[in-house]
């Protein structure tokens, strides 16, 4: 990887939003440097077919979907290789939106990660038809000092040995999270279990947490993962939402109700981007209250992702749209008991 060319830095435009997140504060320059999020995951071309259309070789990858969502909250640094087939136009989708692309490396003569998938009429059912690791097959992560200094690290879905190598280079983060999938559970289980033991939070599909633990009951499966080390587990449940398990309790949100869903690819990564982006922007303790708000932002970002193919919708999203949908989600999930006299 040492012969590859790195892309130039694009400064993060803090305060791109007119409306601050909950817990607004003015960040000093020193705080801004500390507030940054590093992610390793695939940077890819995706060919996707859903009942509502198809696209060939569109920009995708777990790290890309994640970064485009998380950039609304904090400075994001994706780490990983791309091939010669990855052009300036693809990099610009990230760089022009404030994602710091210094640690994306173009490998001469290499091919980018490629994934082909299709979805059934029930969009919760996905089939992988082809996965080509390309330049990720030879990838040996060497993070820049700025990426090592991240205070939140996301090990997005990618080969677990790579996740562990990146984890070992970021010793001072205050929160570590990881995602994975059926392929790695089946082919790299021991390495994945080791990676899980080194993070605070696992964010994973409900079917995959069952496959990982051999527990069909979701609460038991989450408990089993927490016994491996993490203090929080988020089980993603497609259009049905996501559930949060912690030592302190349980919380769940439905998927945001949408009438038009085109392509679920990247929904889980957009969820993680909203979830961890919010956590990184939150200066206080990462307690259950913080995690619940993060669930709200994750749900909102995932809902925008599925409205169009690939990165199309999240790339054109505004902070105002995020905040409006966050408020709607809060209203639709809020309920109260009647006063005792009226019961
Ligand atoms: P999801 O959020 O689960 O829908 O993630 C979809 C993204 O995962 C696509 O953009 C793919 O490029 C990427 N992807 C699919 N399979 C893998 C894999 N085995 N490792 C890493 N990334 C993958």
């Amino acid at each position: 990887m040492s012969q590859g060319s790195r892309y130039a830095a694009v400064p993060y435009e803090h305060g791109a939003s007119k409306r601050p997140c909950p817990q607004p504060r003015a960040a000093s320059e020193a705080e801004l440097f500390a507030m940054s999020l590093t992610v390793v995951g695939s940077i890819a071309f995706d060919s996707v077919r859903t009942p509502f259309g198809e696209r060939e070789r569109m920009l995708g990858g777990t790290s890309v979907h994640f970064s485009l969502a998380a950039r609304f909250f904090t400075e994001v640094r994706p780490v990983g290789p791309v091939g010669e087939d990855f052009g300036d136009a693809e990099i610009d989708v990230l760089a022009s939106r404030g994602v710091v692309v210094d640690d994306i490396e173009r490998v001469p003569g290499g091919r980018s990660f490629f994934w082909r998938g299709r979805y059934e009429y029930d969009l919760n059912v996905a089939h992988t038809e082809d996965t080509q690791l390309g330049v990720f097959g030879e990838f040996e992560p060497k993070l820049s000092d700025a990426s090592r200094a991240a205070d939140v690290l996301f090990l997005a879905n990618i080969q677990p040995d790579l996740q562990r190598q990146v984890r070992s280079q970021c010793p001072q983060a205050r929160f570590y999270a990881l995602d994975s999938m059926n392929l790695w559970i089946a082919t790299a289980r021991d390495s994945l279990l080791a990676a899980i033991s080194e993070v605070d939070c696992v964010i994973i599909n409900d079917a995959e947490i069952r496959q990982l633990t051999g527990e069909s009951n979701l609460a038991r499966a989450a408990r089993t993962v927490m016994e491996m080390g993490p203090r929080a587990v988020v089980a993603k449940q497609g259009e049905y939402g996501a559930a949060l398990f912690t030592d302190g309790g349980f919380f769940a949100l439905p998927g945001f109700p949408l009438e038009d869903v085109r392509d679920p690819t990247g929904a889980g990564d957009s969820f993680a981007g909203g979830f961890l982006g919010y956590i990184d922007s939150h200066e206080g303790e990462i307690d259950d209250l913080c995690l619940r708000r993060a669930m709200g932002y994750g749900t909102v970002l995932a809902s925008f992702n599925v409205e169009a193919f690939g990165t199309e919708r999240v790339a054109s999203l505004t902070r105002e749209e995020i905040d409006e949908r966050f408020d709607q989600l809060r209203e639709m999930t809020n309920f109260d008991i009647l006063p005792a006299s009226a019961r």
Side-chain angles (χ1 to χ4, degrees):
M1 290 301 305
S2 52
Q3 303 142 332
S5 59
R6 287 178 189 261
Y7 291 89
V10 172
Y12 167 62
E13 286 178 34
H14 188 71
S17 151
K18 288 191 193 131
R19 283 181 63 185
C21 316
Q23 324 251 327
R25 70 190 175 96
S28 69
E29 266 186 40
E31 282 175 320
L32 270 183
F33 184 72
M35 205 180 79
S36 88
L37 207 173
T38 294
V39 52
V40 63
S42 51
I43 303 167
F45 286 112
D46 289 345
S47 292
V48 173
R49 184 154 44 99
T50 83
F52 310 104
E54 54 189 296
R55 297 282 191 282
E56 281 296 322
R57 291 185 67 80
M58 59 186 175
L59 176 63
T62 53
S63 191
V64 168
H65 287 292
F66 177 88
S67 299
L68 286 174
R71 59 150 170 147
F72 287 102
F73 304 89
T74 189
E75 179 182 89
V76 192
R77 293 171 172 271
V79 172
V82 293
E84 267 187 1
D85 50 352
F86 207 88
D88 291 344
E90 281 80 26
I91 281 292
D92 199 51
V93 171
L94 298 168
S96 65
R97 288 167 181 79
V99 174
V100 182
V101 296
D102 305 13
D103 278 11
I104 297 180
E105 204 167 347
R106 187 183 271 153
V107 181
R111 295 280 294 170
S112 299
F113 188 103
F114 174 75
W115 178 73
R116 179 183 294 280
R118 73 177 165 83
Y119 295 85
E120 293 190 6
Y121 191 67
D122 174 353
L123 290 172
N124 293 307
V125 185
H127 299 281
T128 291
E129 295 181 335
D130 193 9
T131 304
Q132 294 171 18
L133 293 183
V135 287
F136 271 92
E138 315 265 287
F139 179 42
E140 288 173 18
K142 285 186 199 70
L143 274 57
S144 64
D145 288 347
S147 288
R148 285 171 188 261
D151 73 332
V152 172
L153 176 66
F154 184 49
L155 308 172
N157 176 24
I158 194 69
Q159 217 285 345
D161 291 322
L162 289 179
Q163 293 180 314
R164 294 192 69 201
Q165 286 176 43
V166 171
R167 167 70 181 82
S168 70
Q169 291 179 45
C170 293
Q172 64 198 46
R174 65 186 181 120
F175 200 73
Y176 298 89
L178 166 152
D179 186 8
S180 194
M181 72 180 293
N182 50 10
L183 175 68
W184 309 122
I185 297 171
T187 62
R189 187 182 166 78
D190 289 346
S191 175
L192 177 59
L193 292 179
I196 287 174
S197 72
E198 294 167 358
V199 299
D200 300 294
C201 178
V202 170
I203 305 171
I204 193 168
N205 286 347
D206 55 354
E208 285 155 358
I209 194 175
R210 291 186 171 104
Q211 180 189 357
L212 176 71
T213 59
E215 288 282 0
S216 72
N217 177 284
L218 200 58
R220 279 178 188 272
R223 177 72 46 212
T224 303
V225 171
M226 285 194 275
E227 283 164 5
M228 298 172 189
R231 66 179 173 94
V233 172
V234 176
K236 296 175 285 181
Q237 299 168 301
E239 70 174 299
Y240 305 113
L244 168 71
F245 297 85
T246 64
D247 274 346
F250 173 79
F251 180 67
L253 284 174
F256 191 87
L258 296 171
E259 296 202 1
D260 285 311
V261 175
R262 297 259 181 282
D263 171 22
T265 308
D269 309 303
S270 303
F271 178 97
F275 183 83
L276 291 170
Y278 172 72
I279 287 175
D280 194 36
S281 72
H282 172 75
E283 84 172 345
E285 198 191 333
I286 304 171
D287 55 13
D288 279 20
L289 281 177
C290 168
L291 293 174
R292 286 179 179 214
R293 282 193 298 271
M295 289 278 289
Y297 284 109
T299 300
V300 166
L301 267 300
S303 75
F304 282 114
N305 174 285
V306 303
E307 287 180 344
F309 274 82
T311 57
E312 287 166 17
R313 183 65 183 99
V314 178
S316 66
L317 193 59
T318 66
R319 182 59 199 253
E320 287 70 28
E321 290 175 304
I322 294 172
D323 289 329
E324 190 182 334
R325 194 169 279 186
F326 185 85
D327 290 344
Q328 290 170 350
L329 180 69
R330 247 166 37 92
E331 270 177 32
M332 68 179 63
T333 53
N334 179 37
F335 67 100
D336 210 345
I337 55 167
L338 288 169
S341 56
R343 261 183 239 163

